[in-house]
Amino acid sequence: MPKEKEPKKEKKIYLFFTDCKRMNRKQNYEGRIIVKSALTGIVAGVVVSFFRELLDIFAVWRDFFYQNITDKPQFIFLPLVAAVVLTQIFWRLLRVEPLAGGSGIPQVKGVLAGKMRINALRVLAVKFIASVMAIGAGLSLGRQGPSVQFGACVGQIIGKFSSRYGKREIRSLTVVGAGAGLAAAFNAPLAGVVFCMEELSPRLSSAQILSGLIATTAATTVSQIFLGSRPVFDFSALPSVPFGQHWLFFAALGIFCGALGVLFNRGLIAALDAYDRISLADANKFLPALFLSVAFAFVLPQILSGGDALVDELFFARHDLETLLTLLVGKYFFTLLCFGSGAPGGIFLPMLAMGATSGAIFGEIAVAFGAINSELMPCCIIFGMAGYFTGAVKAPVSGSILIMELTASFEYMLPLLIVAFSACVVTDMTATRPIYASLLQRSLQKNKADNRP
Protein backbone atom coordinates (compact mmCIF):
# COMPACT_ATOMS: atom_id res chain seq x y z
CA MET A 1 0.00 0.00 0.00
CA PRO A 2 2.72 2.56 0.79
CA LYS A 3 4.24 1.98 -2.63
CA GLU A 4 0.98 2.92 -4.28
CA LYS A 5 0.73 6.26 -2.41
CA GLU A 6 4.18 7.48 -3.49
CA PRO A 7 3.34 8.19 -7.14
CA LYS A 8 0.23 10.11 -6.07
CA LYS A 9 2.36 12.33 -3.87
CA GLU A 10 4.81 12.99 -6.71
CA LYS A 11 1.94 13.81 -9.03
CA LYS A 12 0.54 16.32 -6.55
CA ILE A 13 3.96 17.97 -6.27
CA TYR A 14 4.26 18.09 -10.05
CA LEU A 15 0.80 19.62 -10.42
CA PHE A 16 1.59 22.17 -7.70
CA PHE A 17 4.71 23.41 -9.50
CA THR A 18 2.87 23.38 -12.83
CA ASP A 19 0.14 25.58 -11.36
CA CYS A 20 2.76 27.90 -9.88
CA LYS A 21 4.44 28.28 -13.28
CA ARG A 22 1.09 28.94 -14.94
CA MET A 23 0.24 31.57 -12.33
CA ASN A 24 3.63 33.20 -12.75
CA ARG A 25 3.18 33.33 -16.53
CA LYS A 26 -0.27 34.85 -16.09
CA GLN A 27 1.03 37.44 -13.60
CA ASN A 28 3.95 38.29 -15.89
CA TYR A 29 1.57 38.67 -18.84
CA GLU A 30 -0.83 40.88 -16.91
CA GLY A 31 2.04 42.95 -15.52
CA ARG A 32 3.54 43.48 -18.98
CA ILE A 33 0.13 44.41 -20.42
CA ILE A 34 -0.45 47.00 -17.69
CA VAL A 35 2.92 48.65 -18.31
CA LYS A 36 2.45 48.61 -22.09
CA SER A 37 -1.11 49.89 -21.73
CA ALA A 38 0.19 52.91 -19.83
CA LEU A 39 2.79 53.49 -22.57
CA THR A 40 0.13 53.09 -25.25
CA GLY A 41 -2.08 55.61 -23.48
CA ILE A 42 0.75 58.14 -23.21
CA VAL A 43 1.76 57.86 -26.88
CA ALA A 44 -1.87 57.89 -28.06
CA GLY A 45 -2.49 60.96 -25.90
CA VAL A 46 0.45 62.77 -27.51
CA VAL A 47 -0.68 61.88 -31.06
CA VAL A 48 -4.33 62.86 -30.48
CA SER A 49 -3.37 66.08 -28.66
CA PHE A 50 -1.17 67.12 -31.58
CA PHE A 51 -4.03 66.20 -33.95
CA ARG A 52 -6.54 68.31 -32.00
CA GLU A 53 -4.14 71.27 -31.83
CA LEU A 54 -3.55 71.21 -35.58
CA LEU A 55 -7.30 71.09 -36.25
CA ASP A 56 -7.83 74.12 -33.99
CA ILE A 57 -5.11 76.01 -35.86
CA PHE A 58 -6.60 75.10 -39.23
CA ALA A 59 -10.06 76.20 -38.05
CA VAL A 60 -8.70 79.63 -37.05
CA TRP A 61 -6.89 80.01 -40.37
CA ARG A 62 -9.98 78.93 -42.31
CA ASP A 63 -12.27 81.39 -40.51
CA PHE A 64 -9.73 84.21 -40.95
CA PHE A 65 -9.39 83.44 -44.66
CA TYR A 66 -13.13 83.43 -45.39
CA GLN A 67 -13.73 86.56 -43.31
CA ASN A 68 -11.13 88.42 -45.36
CA ILE A 69 -12.45 87.43 -48.79
CA THR A 70 -16.14 87.98 -47.98
CA ASP A 71 -16.03 91.50 -49.38
CA LYS A 72 -13.49 90.62 -52.09
CA PRO A 73 -15.35 88.41 -54.62
CA GLN A 74 -12.42 88.57 -57.03
CA PHE A 75 -10.57 86.13 -54.73
CA ILE A 76 -13.36 83.54 -54.61
CA PHE A 77 -11.37 81.40 -57.04
CA LEU A 78 -8.71 80.76 -54.36
CA PRO A 79 -10.72 78.31 -52.19
CA LEU A 80 -12.00 76.60 -55.36
CA VAL A 81 -8.43 76.08 -56.55
CA ALA A 82 -7.54 74.80 -53.09
CA ALA A 83 -10.43 72.32 -53.31
CA VAL A 84 -9.07 70.94 -56.62
CA VAL A 85 -5.59 70.61 -55.12
CA LEU A 86 -6.93 68.90 -52.01
CA THR A 87 -8.92 66.33 -53.96
CA GLN A 88 -5.74 65.32 -55.77
CA ILE A 89 -3.88 65.04 -52.46
CA PHE A 90 -6.64 62.87 -50.94
CA TRP A 91 -6.70 60.62 -53.98
CA ARG A 92 -2.94 60.06 -53.89
CA LEU A 93 -2.82 59.52 -50.12
CA LEU A 94 -5.65 56.98 -50.20
CA ARG A 95 -3.98 55.15 -53.07
CA VAL A 96 -0.98 54.69 -50.77
CA GLU A 97 -3.21 53.44 -47.91
CA PRO A 98 -6.90 52.76 -48.73
CA LEU A 99 -7.70 51.85 -45.09
CA ALA A 100 -6.94 55.45 -44.09
CA GLY A 101 -10.22 56.60 -45.63
CA GLY A 102 -13.52 56.98 -43.83
CA SER A 103 -14.08 56.92 -40.09
CA GLY A 104 -11.47 54.49 -38.80
CA ILE A 105 -13.67 52.74 -36.24
CA PRO A 106 -15.00 50.09 -38.70
CA GLN A 107 -11.38 49.38 -39.69
CA VAL A 108 -10.46 48.88 -36.03
CA LYS A 109 -13.42 46.52 -35.62
CA GLY A 110 -12.27 44.61 -38.70
CA VAL A 111 -8.74 44.24 -37.35
CA LEU A 112 -9.98 43.04 -33.95
CA ALA A 113 -12.29 40.53 -35.66
CA GLY A 114 -9.36 39.18 -37.67
CA LYS A 115 -10.99 40.19 -40.97
CA MET A 116 -8.59 43.00 -41.87
CA ARG A 117 -4.83 43.36 -41.79
CA ILE A 118 -3.21 46.76 -41.74
CA ASN A 119 0.21 48.35 -41.79
CA ALA A 120 -0.31 50.30 -38.56
CA LEU A 121 2.52 52.80 -39.04
CA ARG A 122 1.50 53.63 -42.60
CA VAL A 123 -2.19 53.95 -41.69
CA LEU A 124 -1.30 56.22 -38.77
CA ALA A 125 0.83 58.55 -40.93
CA VAL A 126 -1.54 58.74 -43.91
CA LYS A 127 -4.70 59.05 -41.81
CA PHE A 128 -3.17 61.81 -39.70
CA ILE A 129 -2.15 63.97 -42.67
CA ALA A 130 -5.33 63.37 -44.68
CA SER A 131 -7.71 63.90 -41.72
CA VAL A 132 -6.10 67.20 -40.77
CA MET A 133 -6.56 68.44 -44.33
CA ALA A 134 -10.12 67.15 -44.75
CA ILE A 135 -11.50 68.41 -41.42
CA GLY A 136 -9.42 71.57 -41.60
CA ALA A 137 -10.89 72.32 -45.03
CA GLY A 138 -14.35 72.33 -43.45
CA LEU A 139 -15.74 68.92 -44.48
CA SER A 140 -18.45 67.72 -42.10
CA LEU A 141 -16.30 65.05 -40.50
CA GLY A 142 -15.18 64.49 -36.92
CA ARG A 143 -11.87 63.87 -35.22
CA GLN A 144 -13.03 61.14 -32.84
CA GLY A 145 -13.12 58.28 -35.39
CA PRO A 146 -9.57 59.01 -36.58
CA SER A 147 -8.47 59.39 -32.94
CA VAL A 148 -9.76 55.88 -32.18
CA GLN A 149 -7.83 54.55 -35.18
CA PHE A 150 -4.69 56.46 -34.12
CA GLY A 151 -4.83 54.87 -30.67
CA ALA A 152 -5.42 51.39 -32.12
CA CYS A 153 -2.45 51.83 -34.48
CA VAL A 154 -0.25 52.96 -31.59
CA GLY A 155 -1.27 49.87 -29.60
CA GLN A 156 -0.51 47.62 -32.56
CA ILE A 157 2.89 49.19 -33.13
CA ILE A 158 3.91 48.89 -29.48
CA GLY A 159 2.57 45.33 -29.33
CA LYS A 160 4.42 44.17 -32.47
CA PHE A 161 7.73 45.66 -31.38
CA SER A 162 7.65 44.28 -27.84
CA SER A 163 5.30 41.29 -27.82
CA ARG A 164 6.29 38.05 -26.09
CA TYR A 165 2.78 36.60 -26.16
CA GLY A 166 1.90 37.02 -29.84
CA LYS A 167 -1.49 37.94 -31.22
CA ARG A 168 -3.21 37.92 -27.83
CA GLU A 169 -1.04 40.71 -26.48
CA ILE A 170 -1.21 42.74 -29.71
CA ARG A 171 -4.99 42.48 -29.75
CA SER A 172 -5.26 43.66 -26.12
CA LEU A 173 -3.06 46.68 -26.82
CA THR A 174 -5.07 47.48 -29.95
CA VAL A 175 -8.28 47.56 -27.91
CA VAL A 176 -6.91 49.70 -25.08
CA GLY A 177 -5.19 51.99 -27.60
CA ALA A 178 -8.52 52.59 -29.35
CA GLY A 179 -10.12 53.50 -26.03
CA ALA A 180 -7.20 55.80 -25.21
CA GLY A 181 -7.66 57.60 -28.53
CA LEU A 182 -11.32 58.27 -27.82
CA ALA A 183 -10.55 59.33 -24.24
CA ALA A 184 -7.95 61.85 -25.42
CA ALA A 185 -10.31 63.21 -28.09
CA PHE A 186 -13.08 63.89 -25.55
CA ASN A 187 -11.21 64.17 -22.22
CA ALA A 188 -13.46 61.29 -21.14
CA PRO A 189 -11.54 58.26 -19.77
CA LEU A 190 -14.58 56.26 -18.66
CA ALA A 191 -16.31 56.68 -22.02
CA GLY A 192 -13.18 55.35 -23.74
CA VAL A 193 -13.27 52.12 -21.73
CA VAL A 194 -17.04 51.66 -21.99
CA PHE A 195 -16.94 52.25 -25.76
CA CYS A 196 -14.36 49.46 -26.10
CA MET A 197 -16.52 47.12 -24.02
CA GLU A 198 -19.75 47.96 -25.82
CA GLU A 199 -18.65 48.50 -29.41
CA LEU A 200 -15.17 47.11 -30.10
CA SER A 201 -14.61 44.08 -27.86
CA PRO A 202 -17.57 42.99 -25.69
CA ARG A 203 -15.68 40.08 -24.07
CA LEU A 204 -13.04 42.01 -22.16
CA SER A 205 -11.59 40.32 -19.10
CA SER A 206 -11.18 42.11 -15.78
CA ALA A 207 -7.44 42.48 -16.47
CA GLN A 208 -8.16 44.03 -19.88
CA ILE A 209 -10.68 46.44 -18.34
CA LEU A 210 -8.01 47.49 -15.82
CA SER A 211 -5.50 47.95 -18.66
CA GLY A 212 -8.08 50.00 -20.55
CA LEU A 213 -8.65 52.27 -17.55
CA ILE A 214 -4.91 52.78 -17.19
CA ALA A 215 -4.52 53.59 -20.90
CA THR A 216 -7.49 55.99 -21.03
CA THR A 217 -6.41 57.73 -17.82
CA ALA A 218 -2.87 58.15 -19.17
CA ALA A 219 -4.15 59.46 -22.51
CA THR A 220 -6.54 61.93 -20.84
CA THR A 221 -3.78 63.15 -18.52
CA VAL A 222 -1.43 63.77 -21.45
CA SER A 223 -4.24 65.53 -23.36
CA GLN A 224 -4.90 67.83 -20.41
CA ILE A 225 -1.19 68.58 -20.02
CA PHE A 226 -0.96 69.72 -23.65
CA LEU A 227 -4.41 71.25 -24.19
CA GLY A 228 -5.61 72.06 -20.69
CA SER A 229 -8.63 70.67 -18.92
CA ARG A 230 -11.15 72.66 -20.98
CA PRO A 231 -14.02 70.44 -22.07
CA VAL A 232 -14.83 69.70 -25.70
CA PHE A 233 -18.22 71.36 -25.17
CA ASP A 234 -18.73 74.26 -22.77
CA PHE A 235 -21.67 72.93 -20.72
CA SER A 236 -21.56 75.44 -17.89
CA ALA A 237 -24.41 76.41 -15.56
CA LEU A 238 -26.68 73.51 -16.44
CA PRO A 239 -30.08 73.59 -14.74
CA SER A 240 -31.17 70.89 -12.31
CA VAL A 241 -33.55 68.31 -13.76
CA PRO A 242 -36.85 67.55 -11.99
CA PHE A 243 -36.74 64.01 -13.33
CA GLY A 244 -39.77 62.66 -11.49
CA GLN A 245 -42.00 65.17 -13.25
CA HIS A 246 -40.55 64.73 -16.74
CA TRP A 247 -39.58 61.09 -17.24
CA LEU A 248 -42.23 60.65 -19.97
CA PHE A 249 -40.88 63.74 -21.71
CA PHE A 250 -37.34 62.35 -21.68
CA ALA A 251 -38.55 59.00 -23.04
CA ALA A 252 -40.31 60.84 -25.87
CA LEU A 253 -37.13 62.86 -26.52
CA GLY A 254 -35.17 59.61 -26.78
CA ILE A 255 -37.66 58.15 -29.25
CA PHE A 256 -37.59 61.31 -31.40
CA CYS A 257 -33.79 61.62 -31.50
CA GLY A 258 -33.33 57.86 -31.82
CA ALA A 259 -35.58 57.82 -34.90
CA LEU A 260 -33.49 60.59 -36.47
CA GLY A 261 -30.34 58.61 -35.61
CA VAL A 262 -31.79 55.59 -37.41
CA LEU A 263 -32.54 57.84 -40.40
CA PHE A 264 -28.92 59.02 -40.39
CA ASN A 265 -27.70 55.43 -40.19
CA ARG A 266 -29.65 54.42 -43.28
CA GLY A 267 -28.89 57.65 -45.13
CA LEU A 268 -25.16 57.12 -44.67
CA ILE A 269 -25.25 53.67 -46.24
CA ALA A 270 -27.42 55.02 -49.07
CA ALA A 271 -24.89 57.82 -49.69
CA LEU A 272 -22.02 55.33 -49.94
CA ASP A 273 -24.03 53.20 -52.37
CA ALA A 274 -24.90 56.29 -54.45
CA TYR A 275 -21.23 57.26 -54.75
CA ASP A 276 -20.43 53.73 -55.94
CA ARG A 277 -23.06 54.03 -58.69
CA ILE A 278 -21.96 57.48 -59.88
CA SER A 279 -19.32 57.27 -62.60
CA LEU A 280 -16.96 59.81 -61.07
CA ALA A 281 -13.23 59.28 -61.38
CA ASP A 282 -11.58 58.45 -58.07
CA ALA A 283 -9.59 61.67 -58.24
CA ASN A 284 -12.77 63.76 -58.55
CA LYS A 285 -15.16 62.13 -56.06
CA PHE A 286 -14.12 64.53 -53.28
CA LEU A 287 -14.80 67.65 -55.35
CA PRO A 288 -18.58 68.01 -54.70
CA ALA A 289 -18.09 67.97 -50.92
CA LEU A 290 -15.13 70.37 -51.06
CA PHE A 291 -16.94 72.81 -53.38
CA LEU A 292 -20.00 72.69 -51.11
CA SER A 293 -17.82 73.43 -48.07
CA VAL A 294 -16.74 76.64 -49.81
CA ALA A 295 -20.38 77.64 -50.35
CA PHE A 296 -21.37 76.80 -46.77
CA ALA A 297 -18.45 78.86 -45.44
CA PHE A 298 -20.33 81.95 -46.65
CA VAL A 299 -23.97 81.03 -45.98
CA LEU A 300 -24.00 78.40 -43.19
CA PRO A 301 -20.57 78.25 -41.51
CA GLN A 302 -21.97 76.56 -38.35
CA ILE A 303 -22.18 73.19 -40.09
CA LEU A 304 -18.55 73.07 -41.22
CA SER A 305 -16.14 70.50 -39.74
CA GLY A 306 -17.20 68.26 -36.86
CA GLY A 307 -19.76 70.44 -35.14
CA ASP A 308 -18.40 71.39 -31.71
CA ALA A 309 -18.90 75.08 -32.54
CA LEU A 310 -22.51 74.33 -33.51
CA VAL A 311 -23.18 72.58 -30.19
CA ASP A 312 -21.74 75.51 -28.23
CA GLU A 313 -23.84 77.96 -30.25
CA LEU A 314 -27.03 75.98 -29.58
CA PHE A 315 -26.26 75.84 -25.88
CA PHE A 316 -25.74 79.58 -25.44
CA ALA A 317 -28.19 81.05 -27.96
CA ARG A 318 -31.84 80.30 -28.66
CA HIS A 319 -32.82 79.84 -32.30
CA ASP A 320 -36.23 79.77 -33.91
CA LEU A 321 -37.59 76.49 -35.24
CA GLU A 322 -36.94 77.38 -38.88
CA THR A 323 -33.24 78.08 -38.21
CA LEU A 324 -32.87 74.84 -36.26
CA LEU A 325 -34.44 72.82 -39.05
CA THR A 326 -32.12 74.50 -41.58
CA LEU A 327 -29.08 73.64 -39.47
CA LEU A 328 -30.19 70.02 -38.99
CA VAL A 329 -31.05 69.37 -42.64
CA GLY A 330 -27.88 71.13 -43.83
CA LYS A 331 -25.65 69.22 -41.42
CA TYR A 332 -27.36 65.93 -42.27
CA PHE A 333 -26.96 66.10 -46.04
CA PHE A 334 -23.53 67.73 -45.90
CA THR A 335 -22.28 64.91 -43.63
CA LEU A 336 -23.71 62.27 -45.97
CA LEU A 337 -21.99 63.92 -48.94
CA CYS A 338 -18.63 64.25 -47.16
CA PHE A 339 -18.54 60.76 -45.67
CA GLY A 340 -20.02 59.13 -48.78
CA SER A 341 -17.09 60.44 -50.81
CA GLY A 342 -14.71 58.32 -48.73
CA ALA A 343 -12.85 61.35 -47.37
CA PRO A 344 -10.82 60.64 -44.22
CA GLY A 345 -12.71 61.65 -41.09
CA GLY A 346 -15.27 60.34 -38.63
CA ILE A 347 -18.98 60.68 -37.97
CA PHE A 348 -18.86 60.60 -34.16
CA LEU A 349 -18.83 64.37 -33.63
CA PRO A 350 -21.25 65.17 -36.49
CA MET A 351 -23.71 62.71 -34.92
CA LEU A 352 -23.44 64.53 -31.59
CA ALA A 353 -23.93 67.89 -33.33
CA MET A 354 -27.04 66.62 -35.14
CA GLY A 355 -28.27 65.11 -31.88
CA ALA A 356 -27.90 68.46 -30.13
CA THR A 357 -29.83 70.17 -32.94
CA SER A 358 -32.53 67.49 -32.83
CA GLY A 359 -32.85 67.94 -29.07
CA ALA A 360 -33.15 71.71 -29.52
CA ILE A 361 -35.94 71.21 -32.09
CA PHE A 362 -37.83 68.85 -29.79
CA GLY A 363 -37.33 71.25 -26.88
CA GLU A 364 -38.63 74.25 -28.83
CA ILE A 365 -41.76 72.31 -29.81
CA ALA A 366 -42.25 71.17 -26.20
CA VAL A 367 -41.87 74.73 -24.89
CA ALA A 368 -44.36 76.01 -27.48
CA PHE A 369 -46.94 73.47 -26.28
CA GLY A 370 -46.20 74.15 -22.60
CA ALA A 371 -44.82 70.65 -21.90
CA ILE A 372 -41.64 72.03 -20.26
CA ASN A 373 -40.21 75.35 -19.13
CA SER A 374 -37.69 77.11 -21.34
CA GLU A 375 -35.07 76.67 -18.59
CA LEU A 376 -34.80 72.97 -19.56
CA MET A 377 -33.75 73.72 -23.15
CA PRO A 378 -30.01 73.09 -22.39
CA CYS A 379 -30.95 69.64 -21.06
CA CYS A 380 -32.84 68.88 -24.27
CA ILE A 381 -29.70 69.72 -26.24
CA ILE A 382 -27.33 67.47 -24.29
CA PHE A 383 -29.83 64.62 -23.89
CA GLY A 384 -30.57 64.80 -27.62
CA MET A 385 -26.91 64.01 -28.27
CA ALA A 386 -27.20 60.75 -26.32
CA GLY A 387 -30.44 59.80 -28.06
CA TYR A 388 -29.21 60.47 -31.59
CA PHE A 389 -25.90 58.70 -30.96
CA THR A 390 -27.69 55.64 -29.58
CA GLY A 391 -30.12 55.55 -32.50
CA ALA A 392 -27.24 55.34 -34.98
CA VAL A 393 -24.58 53.42 -33.04
CA LYS A 394 -26.78 51.39 -30.66
CA ALA A 395 -24.39 51.93 -27.77
CA PRO A 396 -26.65 53.38 -25.03
CA VAL A 397 -24.21 53.00 -22.14
CA SER A 398 -21.31 54.59 -24.05
CA GLY A 399 -23.49 57.52 -25.11
CA SER A 400 -24.79 58.08 -21.57
CA ILE A 401 -21.35 57.84 -19.93
CA LEU A 402 -19.83 60.15 -22.54
CA ILE A 403 -22.42 62.89 -22.06
CA MET A 404 -22.23 62.46 -18.29
CA GLU A 405 -18.46 63.04 -18.40
CA LEU A 406 -18.88 66.02 -20.69
CA THR A 407 -21.37 67.59 -18.28
CA ALA A 408 -19.20 66.59 -15.27
CA SER A 409 -22.30 65.69 -13.28
CA PHE A 410 -23.86 62.42 -12.10
CA GLU A 411 -27.17 64.24 -11.64
CA TYR A 412 -28.06 63.55 -15.26
CA MET A 413 -27.29 59.84 -15.26
CA LEU A 414 -30.87 58.61 -14.85
CA PRO A 415 -32.51 60.87 -17.48
CA LEU A 416 -29.61 60.16 -19.86
CA LEU A 417 -30.17 56.42 -19.51
CA ILE A 418 -33.92 56.85 -20.08
CA VAL A 419 -33.24 58.85 -23.26
CA ALA A 420 -30.59 56.39 -24.49
CA PHE A 421 -32.60 53.23 -23.87
CA SER A 422 -35.72 54.79 -25.41
CA ALA A 423 -33.64 55.48 -28.53
CA CYS A 424 -32.37 51.90 -28.41
CA VAL A 425 -35.98 50.66 -28.52
CA VAL A 426 -36.47 52.54 -31.79
CA THR A 427 -33.35 50.89 -33.21
CA ASP A 428 -34.64 47.44 -32.24
CA MET A 429 -38.15 48.05 -33.55
CA THR A 430 -36.82 49.19 -36.93
CA ALA A 431 -34.33 46.29 -37.11
CA THR A 432 -31.50 48.77 -37.73
CA ARG A 433 -27.96 47.49 -37.40
CA PRO A 434 -25.39 49.65 -35.57
CA ILE A 435 -23.75 52.00 -38.04
CA TYR A 436 -20.16 50.84 -37.43
CA ALA A 437 -21.14 47.18 -37.89
CA SER A 438 -22.95 48.10 -41.12
CA LEU A 439 -19.92 50.03 -42.39
CA LEU A 440 -17.60 47.12 -41.59
CA GLN A 441 -19.85 44.59 -43.33
CA ARG A 442 -20.16 46.84 -46.36
CA SER A 443 -16.40 47.36 -46.55
CA LEU A 444 -15.71 43.62 -46.32
CA GLN A 445 -18.27 42.84 -49.03
CA LYS A 446 -16.84 45.52 -51.29
CA ASN A 447 -13.28 44.25 -50.83
CA LYS A 448 -14.44 40.70 -51.58
CA ALA A 449 -16.18 41.86 -54.77
CA ASP A 450 -13.15 43.90 -55.88
CA ASN A 451 -10.81 40.94 -55.38
CA ARG A 452 -13.10 38.48 -57.20
CA PRO A 453 -11.53 37.30 -60.49
Side-chain angles (χ1 to χ4, degrees):
M1 294 295 293
K3 291 182 179 180
E4 293 179 0
K5 292 182 179 178
E6 199 64 33
K8 292 183 179 180
K9 184 177 180 181
E10 291 176 357
K11 187 176 181 180
K12 289 181 179 179
I13 294 173
Y14 170 76
L15 291 174
F16 171 75
F17 281 109
T18 301
D19 289 341
C20 288
K21 288 180 180 179
R22 190 180 295 112
M23 290 176 63
N24 286 335
R25 283 198 299 269
K26 183 178 180 181
Q27 290 174 352
N28 288 337
Y29 170 76
E30 291 178 353
R32 287 171 60 86
I33 284 294
I34 287 173
V35 172
K36 291 181 183 180
S37 296
L39 178 61
T40 299
I42 292 170
V43 177
V46 171
V47 173
V48 174
S49 297
F50 185 41
F51 181 57
R52 288 177 58 184
E53 186 64 29
L54 281 177
L55 290 180
D56 289 342
I57 292 172
F58 268 68
V60 172
W61 287 353
R62 184 185 69 236
D63 293 343
F64 178 78
F65 174 75
Y66 281 115
Q67 287 170 4
N68 279 273
I69 67 169
T70 299
D71 55 348
K72 300 173 183 176
Q74 66 270 24
F75 293 119
I76 189 63
F77 72 93
L78 291 176
L80 298 177
V81 172
V84 175
V85 173
L86 279 176
T87 197
Q88 292 295 321
I89 294 174
F90 293 155
W91 174 61
R92 295 180 186 280
L93 286 174
L94 295 182
R95 283 186 65 189
V96 172
E97 183 47 73
L99 291 179
S103 165
I105 295 178
Q107 291 90 324
V108 174
K109 287 173 67 71
V111 170
L112 293 174
K115 297 177 180 179
M116 286 184 177
R117 299 181 65 182
I118 64 170
N119 183 322
L121 186 59
R122 189 169 64 199
V123 168
L124 178 61
V126 173
K127 183 78 167 204
F128 190 97
I129 296 169
S131 297
V132 168
M133 290 183 174
I135 302 171
L139 296 185
S140 183
L141 300 167
R143 62 175 177 262
Q144 281 69 24
S147 297
V148 170
Q149 193 172 20
F150 295 157
C153 288
V154 168
Q156 273 216 333
I157 293 168
I158 291 175
K160 287 182 178 179
F161 275 95
S162 61
S163 175
R164 284 180 54 188
Y165 298 91
K167 293 182 179 179
R168 179 187 173 192
E169 184 175 356
I170 295 172
R171 187 183 188 282
S172 295
L173 291 174
T174 303
V175 173
V176 301
L182 183 64
F186 273 121
N187 281 337
L190 283 178
V193 176
V194 174
F195 184 75
C196 289
M197 294 169 59
E198 196 171 26
E199 181 64 25
L200 298 179
S201 184
R203 298 179 180 177
L204 289 180
S205 66
S206 57
Q208 289 173 320
I209 293 173
L210 175 61
S211 300
L213 283 169
I214 291 170
T216 56
T217 302
T220 306
T221 302
V222 170
S223 175
Q224 292 190 2
I225 289 173
F226 282 103
L227 302 176
S229 58
R230 55 182 167 83
V232 175
F233 304 118
D234 188 6
F235 293 145
S236 57
L238 279 169
S240 59
V241 180
F243 176 70
Q245 304 172 23
H246 294 95
W247 68 272
L248 273 176
F249 169 78
F250 292 128
L253 174 62
I255 292 171
F256 176 77
C257 294
L260 292 178
V262 168
L263 182 63
F264 172 75
N265 188 325
R266 298 186 177 185
L268 203 65
I269 300 299
L272 290 166
D273 292 340
Y275 260 99
D276 287 343
R277 290 193 296 268
I278 296 173
S279 58
L280 271 177
D282 288 342
N284 297 326
K285 64 181 182 179
F286 309 107
L287 272 178
L290 287 166
F291 282 160
L292 196 57
S293 71
V294 175
F296 280 139
F298 295 104
V299 298
L300 209 61
Q302 301 98 316
I303 68 172
L304 295 179
S305 297
D308 40 358
L310 173 58
V311 176
D312 287 338
E313 179 180 322
L314 292 172
F315 189 80
F316 288 105
R318 291 281 296 273
H319 295 282
D320 58 60
L321 198 57
E322 183 180 353
T323 301
L324 292 172
L325 287 170
T326 302
L327 290 171
L328 179 61
V329 172
K331 186 68 174 174
Y332 176 84
F333 284 105
F334 188 36
T335 303
L336 298 189
L337 185 67
C338 294
F339 191 82
S341 71
I347 53 173
F348 208 117
L349 191 52
M351 282 191 291
L352 294 182
M354 285 183 278
T357 312
S358 303
I361 290 171
F362 191 84
E364 288 292 346
I365 295 173
V367 170
F369 282 93
I372 60 170
N373 296 324
S374 59
E375 290 81 7
L376 289 181
M377 277 297 298
C379 295
C380 294
I381 292 169
I382 61 174
F383 295 167
M385 296 165 71
Y388 197 100
F389 176 81
T390 302
V393 182
K394 202 177 180 180
V397 180
S398 297
S400 302
I401 295 293
L402 174 62
I403 303 303
M404 189 179 65
E405 285 192 279
L406 292 177
T407 58
S409 174
F410 285 92
E411 179 187 354
Y412 305 102
M413 180 187 296
L414 191 54
L416 276 170
L417 289 173
I418 292 293
V419 169
F421 284 114
S422 298
C424 203
V425 169
V426 177
T427 307
D428 288 335
M429 290 180 65
T430 55
T432 303
R433 294 192 67 194
I435 184 59
Y436 293 124
S438 297
L439 291 173
L440 173 60
Q441 182 185 28
R442 188 184 181 282
S443 179
L444 293 174
Q445 290 175 345
K446 186 177 179 182
N447 290 340
K448 186 177 180 180
D450 291 343
N451 295 329
R452 189 178 299 161

